[in-house]
Amino acid sequence: MTRTEKNADAPLAAASLDPEDWSDFREHAHEVLDLILAQIEGIRDRPVWQPPTDEVVSYFSQALPPTARTMDDILTGVREFVVPYATGNLHPRFMGWVHGAGTPVGMLGDVIAAGLNLNCGGRNHVGIEIERQIVRWTQEAFGYPESSSGLFVTGSSMANFLATIIAKTEAIGVQSRTQGLMNISRPLIAYTSAEAHSCIAQALQLSGIGSVNLRQISVDDLRRMRVDELDRAIVADRQAGAQPFLIVGTAGTVNTGAIDPLDEIAAIAARHELWFHVDGAIGALGMLSAKMKPQFAGLEKSASIALDFHKWGHVPYDAGFLLVRDGAAHKRAFAQPAAYLQRASEGLAAGETWPCDLGVDLSRGCRALKTWMTIAALGTDRIAASIENTCALARYLATLIGKSDRFFLKAPVSLNIVCFGIHNAGAESVRDIVTRLQLSGIAAPSWTTLDGELVVRCAIVNHRTTAQDIDIFWEALNQMTKDDRV
Ligand SMILES: *Cc1c(COP(=O)(O)O)cnc(C)c1O
């Protein structure tokens, strides 16, 4: 008699999803580790990037499978159709966009966290303790007090959004959480530079304040926010009856790596009693370098900082972070009373503040372990040295451009990003050259638009990149533009 005939509702003797044969599974697990470590170790000998083929697309266009496939079959698919078609950011000549390169040790952290299946929304377990360790380390790195609070999030887009919500809640009161913006008489206004990341405007949109209420302050020759303009705009808005509430400075802009004059912005924010948030997605970890620290003067005076361990910190994606000076304000903006989230003095429900009190996620993975393992295994000196090196490589590339009569530097190199134009090449031609370089597998730069002009953009973030990689890129670029006779 089959189970269906007998009693379809009866419990199964064994419904577990664990492997049927642990020793067989263990072999496959070791095989996976060997596969991925070989990929990372030998990355330099592979193309930077290649587009997913038709075969790859069709491999991932199959119907929902009711029955199991063998691990051998699945790992063949992974080897052939997944590993070779990754983003490209492991490779030392990936220079398009600001992407971290990851580290093998960080990967192990993710393997462990996934294996333990830590849920870091809250409760009393080690995942929460590790996150607290990272909060304390960031407090130390950024000169924040012990009463400040921190939270792992997906990335700086989310961290900037959460900071906007906290600043708004502080500006108009905690009742705005229930009332919304209905009862405010004056429009809330935020300020950032024209070079700020697009997620700042999005944060204003999502918050309900609206991005029409974001003033995009013009920039100087170094593409930094003009503080005189900032001050004037705040005064004008106040006179017009609006309510300025937030200034977002950027430590390392996405286009060119420019650092806003954070110290002067901090003074203006203090004078006008506004929330001073820093988008440090790219640059904030530069604070780990004693040599670079002075460039970020004023960052320690901010009310909150968004940063990405997954960029210059090379923690595997994703590992964004928000640090908030006033930990109580942070909690006021997000904590929800809920019967099933009640706290206790001991047991699994112990702990006064849980990560779910500080953001929108309840269930969340453990981003802290891979971050802890990366920092613990490398030490901040070594991470700082790799950060400094990417800046040195950017200056080296800028020198090559400076000596060339085919290319010209389009923006000053403040950190690790180099933007340059090609003489006598229109936008179409620049796009074509960059695309062909990406398709060649030799190097992957990107492009951006500066002052209405399409330019090549090289963001040198990767800790594996050497001067020789810059030379190889340069040679390929020169070859390609020569063939083009641009
Ligand atoms: C990358 C970046 C962001 C967005 O961060 P994510 O981690 O990608 O969400 C925001 N601001 C700046 C300056 C960035 O470079």
Side-chain angles (χ1 to χ4, degrees):
M1 208 164 40
T2 66
R3 182 169 169 265
T4 325
E5 289 158 359
K6 206 168 80 188
N7 181 357
D9 292 334
L12 294 170
S16 167
L17 304 178
D18 279 337
E20 281 162 17
D21 180 343
W22 275 97
S23 79
D24 182 58
F25 188 85
R26 181 170 283 114
E27 264 176 46
H28 284 117
H30 288 297
E31 194 187 319
V32 165
L33 211 49
D34 284 337
L35 167 69
I36 195 66
L37 290 177
Q39 176 69 11
I40 302 171
E41 190 181 1
I43 194 68
R44 184 174 287 281
D45 302 325
R46 302 181 211 282
V48 176
W49 170 84
Q50 46 190 343
T53 58
D54 291 346
E55 235 186 329
V56 171
V57 175
S58 89
Y59 188 79
F60 288 108
S61 307
Q62 296 167 19
L64 187 65
T67 54
R69 282 162 68 175
T70 65
M71 278 301 283
D72 273 329
D73 182 23
I74 291 169
L75 292 189
T76 300
V78 168
R79 194 175 287 111
E80 282 179 28
F81 300 123
V82 177
V83 172
Y85 301 99
T87 322
N89 49 327
L90 291 184
H91 198 285
R93 288 191 298 280
F94 181 96
M95 306 168 184
W97 306 278
V98 178
H99 280 25
T103 64
V105 68
M107 177 190 81
L108 291 186
D110 234 3
V111 170
I112 298 167
L116 295 176
N117 200 19
L118 296 162
N119 184 343
C120 291
R123 289 160 286 274
N124 183 16
H125 61 90
V126 71
I128 307 298
E129 292 308 324
I130 307 170
E131 187 154 344
R132 288 186 184 131
Q133 171 69 89
I134 305 298
V135 172
R136 283 189 289 267
W137 280 352
T138 50
Q139 288 170 343
E140 195 179 325
F142 298 105
Y144 265 44
E146 259 177 51
S147 53
S148 59
S149 65
L151 182 75
F152 272 102
V153 290
T154 39
S156 284
S157 303
M158 183 55 85
N160 287 325
F161 171 59
L162 297 188
T164 302
I165 297 296
I166 302 165
K168 176 214 65 165
T169 310
E170 287 304 291
I172 58 175
V174 79
Q175 76 285 353
S176 66
R177 288 185 57 179
T178 45
Q179 301 299 305
L181 301 174
M182 277 185 312
N183 298 328
I184 64 167
S185 51
R186 301 178 297 158
L188 290 166
I189 309 284
Y191 305 82
T192 195
S193 93
E195 288 286 301
H197 195 274
S198 59
C199 68
I200 306 300
Q202 192 188 46
L204 270 288
Q205 291 165 4
L206 296 175
S207 69
I209 295 166
S211 48
V212 291
N213 294 316
L214 178 67
R215 305 277 181 259
Q216 298 190 305
I217 305 298
S218 59
V219 293
D220 65 14
D221 294 347
L222 298 175
R223 297 188 175 271
R224 305 173 312 169
M225 191 196 292
R226 284 190 50 182
V227 285
D228 53 340
E229 294 273 331
L230 171 67
D231 199 47
R232 262 202 293 278
I234 295 168
V235 170
D237 282 324
R238 278 243 164 90
Q239 277 169 354
Q243 182 178 356
F245 78 109
L246 166 69
I247 306 173
V248 181
T250 305
T253 58
V254 62
N255 266 337
T256 71
I259 304 165
D260 283 337
L262 303 176
D263 210 36
E264 293 170 64
I265 297 175
I268 291 175
R271 184 145 41 81
H272 293 285
E273 296 184 357
L274 308 183
W275 189 280
F276 173 34
H277 172 73
V278 176
D279 178 2
I282 297 178
L285 289 178
M287 288 281 279
L288 295 177
S289 155
K291 221 190 294 179
M292 292 170 63
K293 206 169 172 174
Q295 285 183 269
F296 300 98
L299 183 62
E300 73 289 347
K301 295 178 185 164
S302 58
S304 52
I305 305 173
L307 66 127
D308 279 332
F309 285 109
H310 56 224
K311 287 179 176 172
W312 250 349
H314 301 293
V315 172
Y317 284 94
D318 44 44
F321 199 81
L322 173 67
L323 189 63
V324 180
R325 177 178 302 277
D326 181 347
H330 189 177
K331 195 170 175 177
R332 267 197 297 280
F334 295 107
Q336 294 277 9
Y340 42 86
L341 293 177
Q342 285 173 51
R343 310 300 147 88
S345 59
E346 56 182 349
L348 200 41
E352 196 187 332
T353 300
W354 289 349
C356 66
D357 300 323
L358 303 174
V360 287
D361 294 319
L362 179 53
S363 294
R364 53 202 284 281
C366 183
R367 300 179 177 108
L369 184 59
K370 61 189 174 183
T371 307
W372 177 79
M373 277 181 67
T374 302
I375 296 173
L378 300 172
T380 54
D381 284 351
R382 194 163 160 204
I383 296 170
S386 89
I387 288 173
E388 287 169 10
N389 194 50
T390 57
C391 296
L393 290 169
R395 289 191 296 270
Y396 172 55
L397 176 57
T399 312
L400 295 177
I401 294 162
K403 284 193 208 143
S404 139
D405 49 17
R406 196 174 300 166
F407 306 99
F408 61 97
L409 205 58
K410 182 66 189 172
V413 176
S414 311
L415 290 174
N416 58 336
I417 299 175
V418 185
C419 290
F420 61 97
I422 308 171
H423 285 302
N424 306 318
E428 269 318 300
S429 176
V430 170
R431 234 183 237 123
D432 181 58
I433 288 161
V434 168
T435 305
R436 280 193 293 137
L437 266 172
Q438 291 170 355
L439 288 167
S440 76
I442 299 171
S446 63
W447 59 68
T448 190
T449 303
L450 291 178
D451 308 325
E453 190 174 351
L454 197 85
V455 293
V456 185
R457 172 170 173 267
C458 292
I460 301 162
V461 186
N462 197 309
H463 56 85
R464 300 182 181 105
T465 310
T466 63
Q468 204 195 348
D469 290 307
I470 303 295
D471 290 339
I472 292 169
F473 160 68
W474 186 246
E475 172 64 33
L477 177 72
N478 274 275
Q479 201 58 43
M480 212 159 266
T481 48
K482 188 161 71 193
D483 295 347
D484 254 26
R485 279 187 292 273
V486 288

